[in-house]
Structure formats: structure tokens, C-alpha cells
Amino acid sequence: MHISEGILTTPVWLAGYAGTAVLAAVTMRKLDMEEVPKISVITSVFFIASLIKVPLGPASIHLILNGLVGVVLGWRAFAAIMLGIILQAIIFGHGGITVIGINSLMLGGGALIAYMVWQLRHRFSFKNREFVFGALAGAIGTISSGIVLATALITTGEAFNVIAATVLAAHVPIMLIEAAVVGASAAFLHKAKPDILAGRRQPGSVQGEN
Amino acid sequence: MALDIDRYHEVDSIINRWDPRAKIAALGIFIFSIALMKTIPMAVIAIVMAAILIRLTALPWHFIFHGLSFVMIFLVPFFVIMPLSYPGESAFTVLGLGFAWEGLRLATLIFIKAVSIVLVTYAIFGSSRFDISMLALQHLKCPKVVVQMLLFTYRYTFVFLEEMRRMHTSMQARGFVARTNMQTMTIFGHFVGTLLIRSFERTDRVFKAMLSKGYQGDLHSMVTFKSHGIDYAKATAAIILSLMMVAGDFSGVWSQAVQGWY
């Protein structure tokens, strides 16, 4: 999911770059050398997992998985998604050079919101907690991106209102699929390799359960 | 899926010989000038220039068309949606929906600009080795950590793509068929999770090996850049053409798109 080149007006894509610069600067502060390979791995997996086609009735859709990036990388998710967008623009001409900013803001912003949702799991304690909050993170990550996309189209001109509404409506089935896949992934990772997940709290640490 | 954008970097051409730093800077300006266009005649001039540029790179046609097909799929629906959904007066009605010429004009403008920009992007990154393009970006003051992550990501992408194909084959061998139900979604979730863990552990080993060989956050390269007069001449030509395009567009000689483009 991305905005293609040539659609948005100059103020809108410039605003996209401005927003991305701010979020990138904030979320990449104090980046440790050891984090560089980890972020790159998640970016690659995010990049190729978006090639997976999921059947949806007679059609099929591609996974987005920005929610999962948030669940795995936390605040660093923004950098990973931005890199993925840059590579897509360079390799596929998917998206495009001038829309790198707005596309990063759209998917990366969604990933950050997904991480905030994911963190709320610490406030609850029940059996399938990781699945439920993973699914919520996946769903909310996707729909937040859809809202940013629709907003960018609407601010570009009245002529795009119908397209914006169509795009937003199309996000509802995508959101459900993302919820199921990200939920299952989060629950699986929690069982198989919990330290890969973001925002874990060590048992008995000062923060503890609250 | 063609992921190796630099597959034809060894072809000899006037663009391939261009110093990557000057090439990225000058053609980058060209791309942003195209993005500013709001009149169809200037956009047509832009696409003609982009087509000439891509011819100069000597990239094979099938490679270029493959790249363009992604943009096409996304943009062709605009030709139907835009005229029928454009607000304001419409020329005639189709199936009860008003058809507005202005909408068709906007769709055409979007299409021409998008295709031109993709062509120029292919000319930039299809004509140098990927790692050299990235090093050139670093010389152009792109943050070192971003360049490094781009290089790692590009490298890993091919490795993990192979891993994903192997996993997919083994799933199919065990009789997996994707359907629209919860079971399929759960399997996909586990699939992505497994892919993450495998990739992560592999990279962890690679990173330890790098550390043991003295990696301290810098990548050393044997590549050195050299700019000659001809590199600057090419860059100057590209920048002058970009400025002329922008000037022509803003001159008011041609009618501009009314909405959605200002």
C-alpha cells in the first residue's frame, strides 16, 4: 500500500518529507551500532513479506505488516519502514522518489501507533494476551495508515474525495486480515523467541506489572 | 520478481560512465522538477526527455517495461475513476455518472508524470552498482547509518527471499493451500514469525563474525569517486533542462490543471 508518484500536490508531499524528517530524528536518537543489523533484518523481512499474497475471496491482497514491525522493533520501527519505502522506490519505482516522505509517514506512523497499542498489553493479564494485542496492533496500524492516506488525498483536492473514500473502505478487509496474521505472529513469537518482541518487561524488574 | 535493479550496470553507456555522485544529484533535481509540473504540454516534454535518458542508459526494453508495469497497474484505474468522480460540471453522463473532461486531464497529467519519474529513477539506479550508488549517496551527505542500513537490507533481501521460497515449497509439499479462513491466516502468521526468527538468528551470526573481524560501525570500500569536466558538463545540462522545464511550466503559456495540482 502506497501513494504513487505524480498524484499529490507539492505542499502535501513536502509536508510528508517534513513529518518524516521529524519522526525519523526523534525515533532514531541514540541509535546503537548493534541495532543497525537488527533494524536491517526486520526491514528486509518486512519488504519481502509484503510480496506474500493472501487470498481474499476471488481476489488476493498483499500483506502490509507495518503493525508487526511496530510490535518487533518498537520506536525503531519508523526507521525500518522508511528504509523499506526508500528501497521500494529505488528498486520497483513502487511509490516513488518524491513520495518517500508521505509513504514513510503513512506506514511508519501506523507502526508507531501499533507499538503503542501493543504496549497496552502490560495492563492486562489473560491467556491469549499476546494474540489479542498483536491483532489489535495489526488492525490499528493498518487503519491508521489508511487514514493518513485518505487525508493526504483529500488535502490534495476535492477531485480526490471519491478515491479517498474508496481507499479507506478497501482498508477494512485488509485490516481484518492484518489483525489475524499479526496476532498469530505475535503469539507465535511470544512462545518461540520472546526476546525478539519489543517492549518486553523483565520479570521482577523495577517497572514490573502495573 | 526483479529485485536486482543494478543487473545491467556493466553495460557501457554515456549514463553508466557518469560519476554516480553527479548523476544522483543532477537527475534528482530533474525528478523533483517533474514533480512540480502542472501543465500537460510540459509534462509531455518531460516524458520525452525521460525516454531519451533511459535510451542513453542502454538498459534492455523488457527490463524497463517490467519496472513500468507496477506503476501502470496502479495508475490505469485513475483514467476511469477521475473523470467520473471529478466535482463540478460534467460534459455528459455515462451510466448515470457525470463525465468531466477536467478529470480526464488530471488523470493524464498524473500518469505522464509518474511514468517519467519512474523512467528517470531507473536511469539513475539501473546504471551503477547498487553499493556504489549508496556510497555516492553518502558522499552527498546522506547519513552514514541510513546508507549502511540500506546496504544491509538490500543484501539480506535476496538471502531471505530464498529462505522464504524454500519455506513456501516445503509448505506446499505438505499440502498447504491458501484459503480465506482463519486457519490460513494463522499459518501465514506463523510463517512470517518463523521467517523473522530464522533471519534474525542468521544475522546475529553474521554480526558476530563482523565484530570479530574488527567491525566498528564503518564500512570500508575499495571504491573511489572521480569527477571530470565531462561529469560536471552532463550535470549542468540536466540541471539547466530541469530549470527550463519548471520555467516553461510556470510561464502561464499553457493552461494548468485547475484542481488537484497547484
Side-chain angles (χ1 to χ4, degrees):
Chain A
M1 181 184 68
H2 57 266
I3 300 178
S4 181
E5 197 79 77
I7 296 170
L8 301 178
T9 55
T10 311
V12 178
W13 60 254
L14 282 180
Y17 269 112
T20 290
V22 171
L23 276 182
V26 172
T27 59
M28 284 170 80
R29 257 188 322 188
K30 295 191 189 141
L31 191 73
D32 197 23
M33 182 186 84
E34 289 188 18
E35 289 180 86
V36 169
K38 181 179 177 183
I39 296 173
S40 312
V41 177
I42 310 291
T43 308
S44 305
V45 174
F46 162 69
F47 187 67
I48 59 170
S50 68
L51 304 173
I52 299 177
K53 274 188 191 151
V54 178
L56 182 66
S60 70
I61 60 157
H62 287 282
L63 292 176
I64 303 172
L65 296 179
N66 62 335
L68 186 63
V69 179
V71 164
V72 173
L73 281 181
W75 300 120
R76 302 291 194 225
F78 192 84
I81 296 218
M82 185 180 73
L83 293 167
I85 301 277
I86 295 175
L87 271 186
Q88 262 193 345
I90 292 177
I91 297 177
F92 292 136
H94 231 197
I97 305 286
T98 59
V99 285
I100 285 173
I102 189 75
N103 279 332
S104 308
L105 198 61
M106 167 174 95
L107 289 173
L112 294 181
I113 292 173
Y115 173 59
M116 290 185 240
V117 172
W118 171 243
Q119 284 303 73
L120 292 177
R121 76 192 186 285
H122 293 301
R123 295 172 187 269
F124 300 87
S125 128
F126 52 88
K127 193 161 156 268
N128 291 325
R129 193 177 75 167
E130 274 69 26
F131 176 82
V132 170
F133 280 91
L136 281 175
I140 294 173
T142 311
I143 205 69
S144 317
S145 302
I147 291 169
V148 176
L149 175 58
T151 312
L153 286 172
I154 288 169
T155 46
T156 274
E158 219 185 309
F160 291 90
N161 286 0
V162 175
I163 292 182
T166 317
V167 162
L168 205 54
H171 271 77
V172 174
I174 299 176
M175 186 177 81
L176 296 176
I177 288 178
E178 288 279 318
V181 173
V182 176
S185 256
F188 172 79
L189 288 172
H190 180 68
K191 268 190 210 146
K193 194 177 171 71
D195 21 314
I196 207 173
L197 294 166
R200 261 180 91 241
R201 288 179 184 169
Q202 299 300 324
S205 72
V206 187
Q207 291 173 317
E209 298 282 333
N210 51 9
Chain B
M1 188 64 66
L3 284 174
D4 43 345
I5 176 81
D6 57 355
R7 166 163 28 146
Y8 296 106
H9 71 89
E10 279 176 346
V11 186
D12 187 45
S13 80
I14 182 169
I15 306 292
N16 291 48
R17 282 193 300 271
W18 198 353
D19 180 348
R21 293 172 301 173
K23 179 170 65 184
I24 292 176
L27 295 183
I29 292 173
F30 188 52
I31 284 182
F32 282 96
S33 314
I34 298 175
L36 292 174
M37 298 291 108
K38 48 188 173 182
T39 62
I40 288 184
M42 286 317 288
V44 170
I45 293 175
I47 201 172
V48 169
M49 288 204 280
I52 294 172
L53 185 73
I54 201 86
R55 257 350 274 152
L56 290 177
T57 59
L59 289 171
W61 281 114
H62 68 87
F63 180 63
I64 299 164
F65 283 134
H66 182 76
L68 282 178
S69 63
F70 294 108
V71 202
M72 298 285 185
I73 294 167
F74 192 82
L75 287 174
V76 166
F78 273 75
F79 282 104
V80 182
I81 305 170
M82 293 302 297
L84 297 180
S85 69
Y86 198 83
E89 59 192 279
S90 44
F92 51 89
T93 55
V94 186
L95 303 169
L97 290 163
F99 184 96
W101 287 112
E102 186 56 33
L104 186 63
R105 211 155 72 105
L106 190 54
T108 312
L109 185 62
I110 290 172
F111 183 80
I112 297 177
K113 286 169 56 172
V115 170
S116 326
I117 293 180
V118 172
L119 287 176
V120 180
T121 311
Y122 263 65
I124 298 177
F125 293 102
S127 58
S128 309
R129 238 166 62 196
F130 186 82
D131 58 318
I132 296 181
S133 297
M134 290 301 112
L135 281 173
L137 271 182
Q138 193 174 329
H139 278 264
L140 294 168
K141 303 285 173 238
C142 184
K144 197 170 70 177
V145 61
V146 171
V147 169
Q148 250 188 48
M149 285 198 275
L150 281 171
L151 280 170
F152 276 130
T153 306
Y154 188 67
R155 178 72 192 86
Y156 290 150
T157 299
F158 299 98
V159 180
F160 301 162
L161 197 62
E162 272 309 303
E163 182 88 64
M164 186 168 90
R165 286 195 181 127
R166 270 199 300 277
M167 284 167 62
H168 191 238
T169 310
S170 71
M171 273 163 78
Q172 282 178 323
R174 280 172 275 151
F176 169 73
V177 180
R179 294 194 180 84
T180 312
N181 57 23
M182 197 56 203
Q183 195 197 5
T184 300
M185 300 309 147
T186 310
I187 290 172
F188 272 127
H190 292 181
F191 179 85
V192 174
T194 311
L195 187 63
L196 265 176
I197 294 177
R198 285 189 181 188
S199 315
F200 196 73
E201 289 180 344
R202 182 196 290 262
T203 324
D204 207 39
R205 292 195 296 274
V206 172
F207 185 64
K208 281 181 183 141
M210 282 169 65
L211 282 181
S212 70
K213 286 171 193 153
Y215 173 72
Q216 286 181 323
D218 287 301
L219 288 184
H220 302 282
S221 174
M222 309 273 278
V223 180
T224 47
F225 292 105
K226 248 185 257 159
S227 272
H228 302 288
I230 184 77
D231 294 311
Y232 292 113
K234 289 173 194 170
T236 313
I239 292 170
I240 288 175
L241 284 173
S242 313
L243 293 179
M244 280 166 63
M245 236 164 49
V246 175
D249 197 64
F250 278 89
S251 65
V253 178
W254 288 289
S255 65
Q256 302 186 338
V258 182
Q259 202 186 19
W261 204 261
Y262 39 81

